[in-house]
Amino acid sequence: MKPRTSTAALLPLEISSTPRMSASLLALLACASGLSVANVYYAQPLLDAIAADFSITRAAIGGVVTATQVGCALALIFLVPLGDLVSRRRLMLMQALALVAALALVTLSNSAVVLLIGMLATGLFGTAMTQGLIAYAASAAGDTERGHVVGTTQAGVFIGLLLARVVSGGVSDVAGWRGIYGVASVAMLILATMLYRALPDIPTSSSRMSYPRLLSSLLGLLRDERVLRIRGTLAFLMFAVFNVFWSALVLPLSEAPYRFSHTIIGAFGLVGALGALAAGRAGRWADRGLGERATGWAMGLLVVAWLPLASMHASLWWLALGIVLLDASGQIIHVTNQSLILRRRPDAHGRLIGVYMLFYATGSGAGAMATTAVYARFEWVGVCALGAAVGLAALLFWVATVDRAELTRAKV
C-alpha cells in the first residue's frame, strides 16, 4: 500500500511546475498591471485644477497625493498578502470592482473630504490590483520562465506609470480633471470582466492560515529571508534615487529659461519608456542565473546617469540621455530584485511582494522629501549630487552583499 501524501505538501510543486504561460495571458497581465497602476498617478499633473475646483490652497493640495500614498502603504500590508490566503482570481475581481467604486467616488466627489476618501481608496485598491497581478504572474509561471513573466508584467506597470501623467493631462484638457476618473472607472469595469474570464484559478498553499497569522508572518519573512532584506534595501535606495530626480525635475523646467507647461514636463517621462525594454530583458537574465551580474551593471548605470543629468542646462539632449540611463537601470534592478525574491517561497508570493514594495514606498517618500529641500538650497547641481551619492551608496551596498557564488556559476 502506497503511503499517503498530503495535498498541502504537493502544492508548491504544482505551482512551480506550471506549464509555460501563453503569450495572450502574459499580454493581458501586463496590460492589466499598467491600467491598474495608472489610477494611482492620474492626479499628479492635475493638482492645480483639483485645487481650484475645491478651493484648496497650493500648500495643502499635496494632501491628495499623500492620501493616495497612504492607501498604497495600507494595501501592501493588509491586501496584497491576502493572495496567499484566498483565490487570487476571486480576490482580484473583488478589488477591481472596489477600484471601480473608488474611481466613481472621485469623479462625483463634491467636497474635499469625499475627494480624499476616494483618493485613499484609489491608492488602496489600485496598488492591491497591481501587486496582486505581479504575484499572480509569478505563481502562474514555470520555474524556467518566472523572471521573464515577472519582467514583462513589470514592463506593463512601468509603461502604465509613464503614460498615466500624459493621458490624464490630455483627457483633462477635453473633459476636465473628473473626466479621466470617469473613463478609468469604465476601463476597470471592462478589465475586471476580462480578467475573470481569462485567468485560471491557482490553488493557495496557505489557505488554512488565519488572517492575523498571515499578517504576523510578514515580520517572519523579513527575519528569515536574507535575499528579501538585501533586495529590499537595494529597492529603498534605488527608488530614493528615482524620486530625487522625478520630484525635482519640474522645478528647473518650469522656471526660466524653459518655462515648460506641465504637459511638456510630463512628456519627458515618455523618454524613459525604453526602460520597459530593459525590464523584459532583465527577467530573462535572471532566469539564466545572471541576476547578480545584471544588478552590478545596473547599479553602475544608476550612478553614471547623473553625469548627463547634471549637464541638462547645456542641452536637453543630455537630459534625455540621463533619463534613459536612469530608467533602464532602475527597471533592471527592480525586475531582478523581484525575480530573485520570488524564487524563495512559492507559497508566499503575495507576502514577499508586499514586504518588498514597502521598501519601495519608503524609499520613494524619502527621496521626494530630501530633493525638494536640497533644491531650495543648492538648486539642480545639489539635486544631481544627492542622486549620485545615493546611487553610489546603493552600489557599495551591492558590492558588500553580492552573492559571489551566483556570480561564479552564472550561465553566460
Side-chain angles (χ1 to χ4, degrees):
M1 183 174 179
K2 293 183 180 180
R4 295 178 65 187
T5 304
S6 69
T7 304
L10 287 174
L11 281 171
L13 178 59
E14 291 172 359
I15 292 173
S16 64
S17 60
T18 303
R20 287 187 66 85
M21 184 178 293
S22 68
S24 59
L25 178 57
L26 182 55
L28 176 60
L29 289 170
C31 292
S33 299
L35 283 173
S36 298
V37 76
N39 296 297
V40 181
Y41 293 94
Y42 284 140
Q44 288 188 352
L46 308 177
L47 293 180
D48 287 353
I50 295 173
D53 199 1
F54 290 97
S55 299
I56 302 173
T57 65
R58 287 177 176 258
I61 192 59
V64 170
V65 176
T66 301
T68 308
Q69 293 304 313
V70 169
C72 293
L74 292 175
L76 295 174
I77 298 172
F78 296 107
L79 292 186
V80 175
L82 269 174
D84 295 335
L85 192 62
V86 300
S87 164
R88 285 199 177 96
R89 178 170 172 265
R90 193 180 311 125
L91 179 64
M92 279 189 287
L93 176 65
M94 295 172 61
Q95 290 171 344
L97 294 177
L99 182 55
V100 170
L103 293 166
L105 183 63
V106 173
T107 306
L108 302 174
S109 57
N110 56 6
S111 71
V113 173
V114 175
L115 172 70
L116 291 176
I117 293 172
M119 287 297 185
L120 188 147
T122 298
L124 181 73
F125 295 111
T127 300
M129 276 286 295
T130 304
Q131 301 308 321
L133 285 162
I134 293 174
Y136 179 94
S139 296
D143 286 343
T144 59
E145 64 170 352
R146 183 164 292 121
H148 168 60
V149 169
V150 170
T152 303
T153 307
Q154 181 59 43
V157 174
F158 183 53
I159 292 173
L161 193 155
L162 289 177
L163 292 179
R165 300 178 180 94
V166 179
V167 171
S168 66
V171 173
S172 66
D173 286 342
V174 176
W177 71 266
R178 296 175 189 269
I180 184 62
Y181 287 97
V183 171
S185 181
V186 174
M188 290 308 302
L189 185 59
I190 295 171
L191 178 63
T193 304
M194 294 176 65
L195 290 174
Y196 187 73
R197 290 178 176 176
L199 296 187
D201 212 354
I202 300 176
T204 61
S205 53
S206 304
S207 57
R208 296 179 183 177
M209 185 183 294
S210 68
Y211 182 59
R213 187 182 169 197
L214 183 81
L215 296 182
S216 66
S217 70
L218 297 177
L219 291 176
L221 285 172
L222 190 59
R223 180 193 64 231
D224 298 337
E225 298 294 340
R226 180 175 181 269
V227 172
L228 177 59
R229 295 194 303 272
I230 290 173
R231 290 287 160 169
T233 303
L234 290 176
F236 173 89
L237 294 169
M238 184 265 290
F239 282 108
V241 172
F242 254 44
N243 277 271
V244 164
F245 173 73
W246 286 110
S247 296
L249 182 62
V250 66
L251 301 174
L253 291 185
S254 61
E255 298 172 348
Y258 305 110
R259 300 194 185 282
F260 290 149
S261 67
H262 288 112
T263 302
I264 295 176
I265 294 172
F268 274 96
L270 297 178
V271 177
L274 292 174
L277 301 177
R281 294 302 306 169
R284 292 188 182 277
W285 292 333
D287 287 335
R288 294 171 53 199
L290 298 171
E292 289 288 8
R293 189 171 297 182
T295 301
W297 282 105
M299 285 294 176
L301 284 179
L302 198 65
V303 179
V304 171
W306 288 97
L307 293 175
L309 291 175
S311 304
M312 178 183 74
H313 290 300
S315 171
L316 290 179
W317 287 109
W318 288 117
L319 174 62
L321 175 61
I323 290 174
V324 170
L325 294 178
L326 193 69
D327 281 355
S329 62
Q331 288 305 304
I332 291 171
I333 297 167
H334 188 37
V335 170
T336 304
N337 283 348
Q338 291 176 308
S339 298
L340 295 179
I341 289 169
L342 292 171
R343 285 182 190 173
R344 307 296 301 174
R345 293 276 301 274
D347 63 316
H349 281 162
R351 283 166 286 168
L352 289 171
I353 286 287
V355 174
Y356 170 75
M357 291 301 293
L358 280 174
F359 283 95
Y360 153 90
T362 308
S364 297
M369 290 173 58
T371 193
T372 50
V374 168
Y375 186 86
R377 185 166 184 180
F378 301 106
E379 298 189 331
W380 186 247
V381 66
V383 169
C384 292
L386 174 64
V390 178
L392 182 60
L395 175 60
L396 294 176
F397 180 80
W398 174 79
V399 170
T401 59
V402 62
D403 184 348
R404 287 175 172 77
E406 180 162 332
L407 278 178
T408 302
R409 65 174 178 265
K411 305 172 188 175
V412 181

